[in-house]
Amino acid sequence: MGNDDLRRRKTPCGFCMAVFKWIPVVFITAVIAWSYYAYVVELCIRNAENLVGMIFMLFFYHIALILFMWSYWRTIMTSVGRVPDQWRIPDEEVTRLFRADNPETQKRILNSFARSLPVTNRTMNGSVRFCEKCKIIKPDRAHHCSVCNSCVLKMDHHCPWVNNCVNFYNYKFFVLFLGYALVYCLYVAFTTLHDFVQFWKGQLNGSGVGRFHILFLFFISIMFAISLVSLFGYHIYLVLVNRTTLESFRAPVFRVGGPDKNGFNLGRYANFCEVFGDDWQYWPLPIFTSRGDGFSYPTSTDQSGEAPTVQRYAAMGDTTTNRLDGNPTDKLIDAIPLDTTPNNHDQPPPQHQHPHQVRSQNQAQPQPQQARHQARPNSLNLQPALELPLANGQSSNCSTAAVPSSQMVVVNLGTLPEDANGSAVIIDMVGDHSGAAAGVAAPKDACRQPNGDVPLN
């Protein structure tokens, strides 16, 4: 709960709004209280024909009612939690962030601040998620609730029937509340079905008002049960796929891989245990047993054979995950390129030598027209080997094993041009140069590199 919300409550208008928010909760409580009177007093006590049956009906009724009300109370009273101070950006950084002249600068500031935080989710432009109202870095799966006026951990939705946000701390209670409410309504409808039939036949004992209590109890329990079936079934589905209501409408964006609705899906059993805990004895009880701390969550790519289940994405550095083999969405403008291998493209050619210059061992320059005419390939010949004469009379025979297949296209050059002394002329092509091109002596048995020069002795 933010400071702005506390200040609003101190005003008369804010106080009225706070009272107005409790109207749905008061309505649900009043319906439950009326159903208790109609079932216990009118149905079981005043209209009981079998004492043993009445005792059993009241026993199971109170068990369902206690579990229902216990879950409902825990859902209402559980706090949405508070984001620790290490997630909060200092005021001077916030000022610098708001004064940034372009989105890339803001992105760089946020990514730098979140370097040590376990954040995986990003915005659509690849930036770390930031709450402008709370001035914090949003943890994964957290969202700002305008009703609660605070950032809520693993926010599912704001439910007016509980006057609270369904979040990481009370999501188990909320699912149990829906389940026990459905059980309560079905139990009431099933046990009042016989008396409802007797009412239509005109054989139901008791006063007229009591009979109408039983009639309305049956109809209202059926009505609530129908609405709860779909809602409870939907949230059971969300539990099994490890997805919140907000994530089902808008997929979370990950640092690597982009949007993915199944990014937190660990498998049905693991997803269920993440909400209800590992000890099956506490599953049916509204006691907090959920896994984790609400700030970081294992992702689906952490469940590979090599990676442990507690592995997290790195906030800014390298990651061992293989999510869709995609590019990181938070690349910075001044980031170091991924390929840092030295490349000979960075070395400019000598000023006296053109990239397409025809040269020989003794640097004799043949006639340009004759060289171009003789160097034109006669045909494309995809042969497994290429044998070219060298200046000293030797030959260079390069097999396909020495050259990657994706880079090798062998061309039958026919008759190579010769210079004035009769030496073979080598055409220097644009591409990666070997050591000979850089002035380093190559071994005699060295093969020609792809798009490079034939090594000279």
PDB file of all heavy atoms in Angstrom, residues 210-228:
ATOM      1  N   GLY A 210     -40.923 -20.549   6.046  1.00  0.00           N
ATOM      2  CA  GLY A 210     -39.850 -21.542   6.070  1.00  0.00           C
ATOM      3  C   GLY A 210     -39.721 -22.277   4.759  1.00  0.00           C
ATOM      4  O   GLY A 210     -38.602 -22.562   4.290  1.00  0.00           O
ATOM      5  N   ARG A 211     -40.840 -22.597   4.127  1.00  0.00           N
ATOM      6  CA  ARG A 211     -40.773 -23.285   2.848  1.00  0.00           C
ATOM      7  C   ARG A 211     -40.162 -22.397   1.770  1.00  0.00           C
ATOM      8  O   ARG A 211     -39.406 -22.873   0.908  1.00  0.00           O
ATOM      9  CB  ARG A 211     -42.184 -23.716   2.437  1.00  0.00           C
ATOM     10  CG  ARG A 211     -42.728 -24.868   3.282  1.00  0.00           C
ATOM     11  CD  ARG A 211     -44.088 -25.313   2.779  1.00  0.00           C
ATOM     12  NE  ARG A 211     -45.075 -24.233   2.903  1.00  0.00           N
ATOM     13  CZ  ARG A 211     -46.338 -24.348   2.482  1.00  0.00           C
ATOM     14  NH1 ARG A 211     -46.753 -25.463   1.887  1.00  0.00           N
ATOM     15  NH2 ARG A 211     -47.180 -23.344   2.640  1.00  0.00           N
ATOM     16  N   PHE A 212     -40.451 -21.106   1.783  1.00  0.00           N
ATOM     17  CA  PHE A 212     -39.844 -20.203   0.812  1.00  0.00           C
ATOM     18  C   PHE A 212     -38.346 -20.027   1.071  1.00  0.00           C
ATOM     19  O   PHE A 212     -37.569 -19.820   0.126  1.00  0.00           O
ATOM     20  CB  PHE A 212     -40.563 -18.850   0.826  1.00  0.00           C
ATOM     21  CG  PHE A 212     -41.831 -18.841   0.041  1.00  0.00           C
ATOM     22  CD1 PHE A 212     -43.064 -18.861   0.679  1.00  0.00           C
ATOM     23  CD2 PHE A 212     -41.794 -18.827  -1.349  1.00  0.00           C
ATOM     24  CE1 PHE A 212     -44.238 -18.845  -0.057  1.00  0.00           C
ATOM     25  CE2 PHE A 212     -42.968 -18.820  -2.094  1.00  0.00           C
ATOM     26  CZ  PHE A 212     -44.200 -18.829  -1.448  1.00  0.00           C
ATOM     27  N   HIS A 213     -37.915 -20.102   2.311  1.00  0.00           N
ATOM     28  CA  HIS A 213     -36.481 -20.078   2.604  1.00  0.00           C
ATOM     29  C   HIS A 213     -35.787 -21.258   1.939  1.00  0.00           C
ATOM     30  O   HIS A 213     -34.712 -21.099   1.335  1.00  0.00           O
ATOM     31  CB  HIS A 213     -36.248 -20.119   4.124  1.00  0.00           C
ATOM     32  CG  HIS A 213     -36.320 -18.774   4.779  1.00  0.00           C
ATOM     33  ND1 HIS A 213     -35.408 -17.787   4.540  1.00  0.00           N
ATOM     34  CD2 HIS A 213     -37.209 -18.258   5.687  1.00  0.00           C
ATOM     35  CE1 HIS A 213     -35.702 -16.714   5.255  1.00  0.00           C
ATOM     36  NE2 HIS A 213     -36.806 -16.981   5.965  1.00  0.00           N
ATOM     37  N   ILE A 214     -36.358 -22.428   2.036  1.00  0.00           N
ATOM     38  CA  ILE A 214     -35.759 -23.621   1.424  1.00  0.00           C
ATOM     39  C   ILE A 214     -35.787 -23.513  -0.094  1.00  0.00           C
ATOM     40  O   ILE A 214     -34.833 -23.899  -0.781  1.00  0.00           O
ATOM     41  CB  ILE A 214     -36.495 -24.881   1.911  1.00  0.00           C
ATOM     42  CG1 ILE A 214     -36.346 -25.011   3.427  1.00  0.00           C
ATOM     43  CG2 ILE A 214     -35.960 -26.118   1.209  1.00  0.00           C
ATOM     44  CD1 ILE A 214     -37.158 -26.154   4.015  1.00  0.00           C
ATOM     45  N   LEU A 215     -36.859 -22.969  -0.643  1.00  0.00           N
ATOM     46  CA  LEU A 215     -36.961 -22.809  -2.088  1.00  0.00           C
ATOM     47  C   LEU A 215     -35.885 -21.865  -2.616  1.00  0.00           C
ATOM     48  O   LEU A 215     -35.164 -22.194  -3.581  1.00  0.00           O
ATOM     49  CB  LEU A 215     -38.352 -22.277  -2.447  1.00  0.00           C
ATOM     50  CG  LEU A 215     -38.602 -21.964  -3.929  1.00  0.00           C
ATOM     51  CD1 LEU A 215     -38.528 -23.238  -4.755  1.00  0.00           C
ATOM     52  CD2 LEU A 215     -39.942 -21.265  -4.102  1.00  0.00           C
ATOM     53  N   PHE A 216     -35.737 -20.717  -2.008  1.00  0.00           N
ATOM     54  CA  PHE A 216     -34.726 -19.765  -2.454  1.00  0.00           C
ATOM     55  C   PHE A 216     -33.309 -20.278  -2.179  1.00  0.00           C
ATOM     56  O   PHE A 216     -32.389 -19.960  -2.937  1.00  0.00           O
ATOM     57  CB  PHE A 216     -34.947 -18.410  -1.769  1.00  0.00           C
ATOM     58  CG  PHE A 216     -36.076 -17.628  -2.344  1.00  0.00           C
ATOM     59  CD1 PHE A 216     -37.198 -17.332  -1.562  1.00  0.00           C
ATOM     60  CD2 PHE A 216     -36.046 -17.184  -3.650  1.00  0.00           C
ATOM     61  CE1 PHE A 216     -38.250 -16.609  -2.092  1.00  0.00           C
ATOM     62  CE2 PHE A 216     -37.105 -16.456  -4.176  1.00  0.00           C
ATOM     63  CZ  PHE A 216     -38.209 -16.166  -3.405  1.00  0.00           C
ATOM     64  N   LEU A 217     -33.133 -21.049  -1.118  1.00  0.00           N
ATOM     65  CA  LEU A 217     -31.813 -21.622  -0.830  1.00  0.00           C
ATOM     66  C   LEU A 217     -31.372 -22.540  -1.959  1.00  0.00           C
ATOM     67  O   LEU A 217     -30.200 -22.527  -2.362  1.00  0.00           O
ATOM     68  CB  LEU A 217     -31.848 -22.371   0.502  1.00  0.00           C
ATOM     69  CG  LEU A 217     -30.518 -22.985   0.975  1.00  0.00           C
ATOM     70  CD1 LEU A 217     -29.485 -21.887   1.212  1.00  0.00           C
ATOM     71  CD2 LEU A 217     -30.739 -23.801   2.249  1.00  0.00           C
ATOM     72  N   PHE A 218     -32.283 -23.319  -2.491  1.00  0.00           N
ATOM     73  CA  PHE A 218     -31.948 -24.221  -3.589  1.00  0.00           C
ATOM     74  C   PHE A 218     -31.597 -23.426  -4.843  1.00  0.00           C
ATOM     75  O   PHE A 218     -30.586 -23.716  -5.512  1.00  0.00           O
ATOM     76  CB  PHE A 218     -33.127 -25.167  -3.858  1.00  0.00           C
ATOM     77  CG  PHE A 218     -32.915 -26.066  -5.034  1.00  0.00           C
ATOM     78  CD1 PHE A 218     -32.142 -27.212  -4.915  1.00  0.00           C
ATOM     79  CD2 PHE A 218     -33.490 -25.764  -6.267  1.00  0.00           C
ATOM     80  CE1 PHE A 218     -31.951 -28.046  -6.009  1.00  0.00           C
ATOM     81  CE2 PHE A 218     -33.295 -26.586  -7.355  1.00  0.00           C
ATOM     82  CZ  PHE A 218     -32.535 -27.729  -7.230  1.00  0.00           C
ATOM     83  N   PHE A 219     -32.412 -22.446  -5.182  1.00  0.00           N
ATOM     84  CA  PHE A 219     -32.167 -21.675  -6.392  1.00  0.00           C
ATOM     85  C   PHE A 219     -30.855 -20.884  -6.301  1.00  0.00           C
ATOM     86  O   PHE A 219     -30.063 -20.841  -7.258  1.00  0.00           O
ATOM     87  CB  PHE A 219     -33.337 -20.715  -6.659  1.00  0.00           C
ATOM     88  CG  PHE A 219     -34.475 -21.348  -7.391  1.00  0.00           C
ATOM     89  CD1 PHE A 219     -35.717 -21.476  -6.794  1.00  0.00           C
ATOM     90  CD2 PHE A 219     -34.307 -21.820  -8.688  1.00  0.00           C
ATOM     91  CE1 PHE A 219     -36.772 -22.059  -7.475  1.00  0.00           C
ATOM     92  CE2 PHE A 219     -35.354 -22.400  -9.369  1.00  0.00           C
ATOM     93  CZ  PHE A 219     -36.596 -22.521  -8.766  1.00  0.00           C
ATOM     94  N   ILE A 220     -30.605 -20.258  -5.187  1.00  0.00           N
ATOM     95  CA  ILE A 220     -29.388 -19.441  -5.049  1.00  0.00           C
ATOM     96  C   ILE A 220     -28.130 -20.319  -5.052  1.00  0.00           C
ATOM     97  O   ILE A 220     -27.107 -19.957  -5.660  1.00  0.00           O
ATOM     98  CB  ILE A 220     -29.469 -18.593  -3.761  1.00  0.00           C
ATOM     99  CG1 ILE A 220     -30.556 -17.524  -3.926  1.00  0.00           C
ATOM    100  CG2 ILE A 220     -28.134 -17.936  -3.448  1.00  0.00           C
ATOM    101  CD1 ILE A 220     -30.765 -16.668  -2.711  1.00  0.00           C
ATOM    102  N   SER A 221     -28.180 -21.476  -4.401  1.00  0.00           N
ATOM    103  CA  SER A 221     -27.024 -22.376  -4.411  1.00  0.00           C
ATOM    104  C   SER A 221     -26.737 -22.881  -5.818  1.00  0.00           C
ATOM    105  O   SER A 221     -25.568 -22.982  -6.219  1.00  0.00           O
ATOM    106  CB  SER A 221     -27.262 -23.544  -3.454  1.00  0.00           C
ATOM    107  OG  SER A 221     -28.407 -24.287  -3.849  1.00  0.00           O
ATOM    108  N   ILE A 222     -27.779 -23.186  -6.590  1.00  0.00           N
ATOM    109  CA  ILE A 222     -27.576 -23.615  -7.973  1.00  0.00           C
ATOM    110  C   ILE A 222     -26.999 -22.475  -8.816  1.00  0.00           C
ATOM    111  O   ILE A 222     -26.080 -22.671  -9.632  1.00  0.00           O
ATOM    112  CB  ILE A 222     -28.905 -24.117  -8.581  1.00  0.00           C
ATOM    113  CG1 ILE A 222     -29.287 -25.466  -7.978  1.00  0.00           C
ATOM    114  CG2 ILE A 222     -28.800 -24.238 -10.095  1.00  0.00           C
ATOM    115  CD1 ILE A 222     -28.339 -26.591  -8.332  1.00  0.00           C
ATOM    116  N   MET A 223     -27.510 -21.270  -8.617  1.00  0.00           N
ATOM    117  CA  MET A 223     -27.029 -20.127  -9.387  1.00  0.00           C
ATOM    118  C   MET A 223     -25.547 -19.846  -9.118  1.00  0.00           C
ATOM    119  O   MET A 223     -24.746 -19.664 -10.053  1.00  0.00           O
ATOM    120  CB  MET A 223     -27.864 -18.901  -9.040  1.00  0.00           C
ATOM    121  CG  MET A 223     -27.461 -17.645  -9.807  1.00  0.00           C
ATOM    122  SD  MET A 223     -28.435 -16.206  -9.310  1.00  0.00           S
ATOM    123  CE  MET A 223     -27.905 -16.050  -7.600  1.00  0.00           C
ATOM    124  N   PHE A 224     -25.145 -19.826  -7.843  1.00  0.00           N
ATOM    125  CA  PHE A 224     -23.739 -19.596  -7.505  1.00  0.00           C
ATOM    126  C   PHE A 224     -22.864 -20.757  -7.974  1.00  0.00           C
ATOM    127  O   PHE A 224     -21.717 -20.544  -8.395  1.00  0.00           O
ATOM    128  CB  PHE A 224     -23.575 -19.381  -6.007  1.00  0.00           C
ATOM    129  CG  PHE A 224     -23.827 -17.970  -5.571  1.00  0.00           C
ATOM    130  CD1 PHE A 224     -25.056 -17.585  -5.062  1.00  0.00           C
ATOM    131  CD2 PHE A 224     -22.833 -17.015  -5.672  1.00  0.00           C
ATOM    132  CE1 PHE A 224     -25.303 -16.282  -4.670  1.00  0.00           C
ATOM    133  CE2 PHE A 224     -23.054 -15.699  -5.282  1.00  0.00           C
ATOM    134  CZ  PHE A 224     -24.300 -15.338  -4.777  1.00  0.00           C
ATOM    135  N   ALA A 225     -23.362 -21.971  -7.911  1.00  0.00           N
ATOM    136  CA  ALA A 225     -22.572 -23.122  -8.344  1.00  0.00           C
ATOM    137  C   ALA A 225     -22.265 -23.061  -9.831  1.00  0.00           C
ATOM    138  O   ALA A 225     -21.150 -23.379 -10.268  1.00  0.00           O
ATOM    139  CB  ALA A 225     -23.312 -24.425  -8.007  1.00  0.00           C
ATOM    140  N   ILE A 226     -23.241 -22.643 -10.638  1.00  0.00           N
ATOM    141  CA  ILE A 226     -23.016 -22.544 -12.082  1.00  0.00           C
ATOM    142  C   ILE A 226     -21.941 -21.500 -12.395  1.00  0.00           C
ATOM    143  O   ILE A 226     -21.057 -21.721 -13.242  1.00  0.00           O
ATOM    144  CB  ILE A 226     -24.339 -22.197 -12.798  1.00  0.00           C
ATOM    145  CG1 ILE A 226     -25.312 -23.374 -12.684  1.00  0.00           C
ATOM    146  CG2 ILE A 226     -24.094 -21.857 -14.260  1.00  0.00           C
ATOM    147  CD1 ILE A 226     -26.687 -23.076 -13.249  1.00  0.00           C
ATOM    148  N   SER A 227     -21.987 -20.366 -11.727  1.00  0.00           N
ATOM    149  CA  SER A 227     -20.973 -19.332 -11.968  1.00  0.00           C
ATOM    150  C   SER A 227     -19.602 -19.734 -11.441  1.00  0.00           C
ATOM    151  O   SER A 227     -18.573 -19.372 -12.026  1.00  0.00           O
ATOM    152  CB  SER A 227     -21.416 -18.014 -11.330  1.00  0.00           C
ATOM    153  OG  SER A 227     -21.549 -18.156  -9.927  1.00  0.00           O
ATOM    154  N   LEU A 228     -19.567 -20.490 -10.351  1.00  0.00           N
ATOM    155  CA  LEU A 228     -18.286 -20.899  -9.767  1.00  0.00           C
ATOM    156  C   LEU A 228     -17.623 -22.022 -10.549  1.00  0.00           C
ATOM    157  O   LEU A 228     -16.396 -22.165 -10.505  1.00  0.00           O
ATOM    158  CB  LEU A 228     -18.485 -21.334  -8.316  1.00  0.00           C
ATOM    159  CG  LEU A 228     -18.753 -20.206  -7.311  1.00  0.00           C
ATOM    160  CD1 LEU A 228     -19.162 -20.779  -5.957  1.00  0.00           C
ATOM    161  CD2 LEU A 228     -17.512 -19.323  -7.152  1.00  0.00           C
TER     162      LEU A 228
END
